[in-house]
Amino acid sequence: MLSNAEIGIDLGTANILVYSKNKGIIMNEPSVVAIDINTKKVLAVGIDAKNMIGKTPGNIVAVRPLKDGVIADFDVTTDMLKHIMGTIGKKLGFSMRKPSVVVCTPSGATSVERRAIHDAVKNSGAKAVHLIEEPVAAAIGADLPVGEPVANVIVDIGGGTTEVAIISYGGVVSCNTIRVAGDKMDEDIVQYIRKSYNLLIGERTAEQIKMEIGYAPIEHESLEMEIRGRDLVTGLPKTISLTSKEVQQAIQESLSSILEAIRATLENCPPELSGDIVDRGVILSGGGALLNGVQQWLSEEIVVPVHIAPNPLESVAIGTGKSLSVIDKLQKIAR
């Protein structure tokens, strides 16, 4: 059966999620592509490619074609999207005849970066491509009343960027995008372990540390974890024990930058909407919302209620999918 499918894509720096109207989230894969350098052929996409990071022979590289929420390598992104479109067609059980796609873009993206996202999706076989700002998509996905004239504050801590936006009546009133998010925290952990222990660890290990024993700056019982890496002095493999207090110290600076962005956004908020924020609070979405203690820490720092979206990892994708029904209305408001 041929059908004109409508899908929403969250083109994230760390993960790509695809949402279909009838089936919900149909795909959630890391945005990693494994390529053969000699033939320029895509060998694997998603979780298979992520498992290859740092473990491949010289002629195969596992790359992340998206950096800071925007496209860094156009051709590889297009190949990855083509591969994804093929996979989705199989999953949905029909061949997709040019689907209509809604893709989210960071609110701080330039017109050139937006154009690149639009063209990459179009080239991968989409009929119509609509762009929606990431914070608006995250707010729709978190079930906030985006179309009403009340303040909805969304803090989307993703892989490449953190977006803080106040949304009211279908549009962004005030927003800040900083390129400090999950990836930067992983980098901080790598650097900290390198400086403190002369041990080199990979991205995947750093991410695992962050997820298991990473803490926002709050009081907590110390946890320990064994880390394996390469000793920079002897060049041999080595195991060390790392505590959650150390990880907390390593990522503190990145978290402070995120807090500053939230404060700056709230400072630019019109006074009428500030009253709403006191009542309704701030919603956290994105993978960073799952960091231990981040909700408690933020509510202490900004003294307004902080809530975590029902599905923080999926809220942007759900929002892009749901926005298919309201996209015309949103675009009218935007005009």
Side-chain angles (χ1 to χ4, degrees):
M1 178 188 131
L2 285 171
S3 148
N4 250 357
E6 292 186 333
I7 55 173
I9 299 180
D10 171 12
L11 258 190
T13 314
N15 292 294
I16 288 190
L17 288 90
V18 181
Y19 178 95
S20 133
K21 221 182 207 167
N22 313 330
K23 298 208 174 175
I25 299 278
I26 48 173
M27 184 171 179
N28 180 354
E29 294 265 337
S31 24
V32 183
V33 185
I35 305 171
D36 186 323
I37 302 174
N38 305 333
T39 61
K40 294 277 181 275
K41 195 168 167 251
V42 173
L43 301 174
V45 171
I47 193 75
D48 298 338
K50 188 176 184 179
N51 291 336
M52 292 182 189
I53 290 181
K55 297 181 178 179
T56 54
N59 64 319
I60 298 170
V61 286
V63 292
R64 296 172 71 171
L66 295 141
K67 278 268 181 292
D68 302 329
V70 291
I71 292 174
D73 187 323
F74 186 81
D75 296 337
V76 176
T77 306
T78 309
D79 287 344
M80 176 171 75
L81 284 166
K82 279 180 184 159
H83 186 96
I84 286 169
M85 292 289 190
T87 314
I88 297 165
K90 284 179 199 152
K91 281 199 180 166
L92 289 174
F94 55 76
S95 60
M96 288 203 300
R97 187 187 63 206
K98 300 244 175 202
S100 296
V101 180
V102 177
V103 190
C104 58
T105 61
S107 49
T110 63
S111 55
V112 175
E113 289 166 339
R114 282 168 202 264
R115 185 84 214 161
I117 291 174
H118 181 279
D119 291 351
V121 177
K122 193 91 176 157
N123 293 352
S124 68
K127 182 180 73 169
V129 181
H130 302 283
L131 299 182
I132 180 173
E133 291 195 338
E134 219 164 275
V136 178
I140 295 172
D143 290 334
L144 297 178
V146 177
E148 292 173 23
V150 290
N152 300 292
V153 183
I154 194 99
V155 178
D156 181 30
I157 308 170
T161 55
T162 295
E163 307 220 23
V164 187
I166 299 169
I167 297 161
S168 174
Y169 199 55
V172 175
V173 177
S174 154
C175 78
N176 263 319
T177 303
I178 54 166
R179 298 193 167 184
V180 174
D183 288 353
K184 178 74 174 74
M185 291 182 213
D186 296 346
E187 213 175 287
D188 293 342
I189 293 168
V190 171
Q191 293 305 334
Y192 177 85
I193 292 173
R194 187 177 186 153
K195 274 190 200 143
S196 308
Y197 294 98
N198 274 336
L199 187 77
L200 194 61
I201 59 165
E203 280 173 35
R204 288 184 58 204
T205 309
E207 189 181 17
Q208 214 176 339
I209 295 169
K210 178 186 70 183
M211 286 155 79
E212 289 188 25
I213 60 168
Y215 265 88
I218 57 165
E219 284 297 314
H220 67 279
E221 271 185 38
S222 189
L223 301 170
E224 278 199 10
M225 183 177 175
E226 288 213 329
I227 313 298
R228 296 185 180 90
R230 188 177 89 226
D231 190 318
L232 287 166
V233 180
T234 62
L236 301 172
K238 178 177 157 187
T239 305
I240 59 158
S241 185
L242 193 71
T243 68
S244 56
K245 299 270 194 224
E246 290 176 283
V247 181
Q248 192 177 34
Q249 189 184 330
I251 62 176
Q252 185 152 10
E253 201 176 314
S254 293
L255 288 170
S256 301
S257 306
I258 292 171
L259 179 64
E260 281 310 306
I262 297 172
R263 284 198 171 130
T265 311
L266 295 177
E267 277 167 18
N268 293 338
C269 175
E272 287 292 340
L273 290 175
S274 289
D276 289 346
I277 296 170
V278 174
D279 298 336
R280 305 172 61 84
V282 172
I283 307 287
L284 295 180
S285 78
L290 301 172
L291 182 72
N292 300 317
V294 74
Q295 184 179 8
Q296 183 191 332
W297 168 68
L298 276 178
S299 59
E300 284 169 9
E301 292 288 342
I302 57 176
V303 210
V304 293
V306 174
H307 312 286
I308 292 181
N311 295 354
L313 282 171
E314 297 174 355
S315 52
V316 174
I318 293 170
T320 44
K322 281 188 179 170
S323 70
L324 289 163
S325 50
V326 292
I327 196 96
D328 301 332
K329 187 176 163 194
L330 285 175
Q331 282 174 347
K332 271 187 201 127
I333 291 170
R335 275 187 209 119

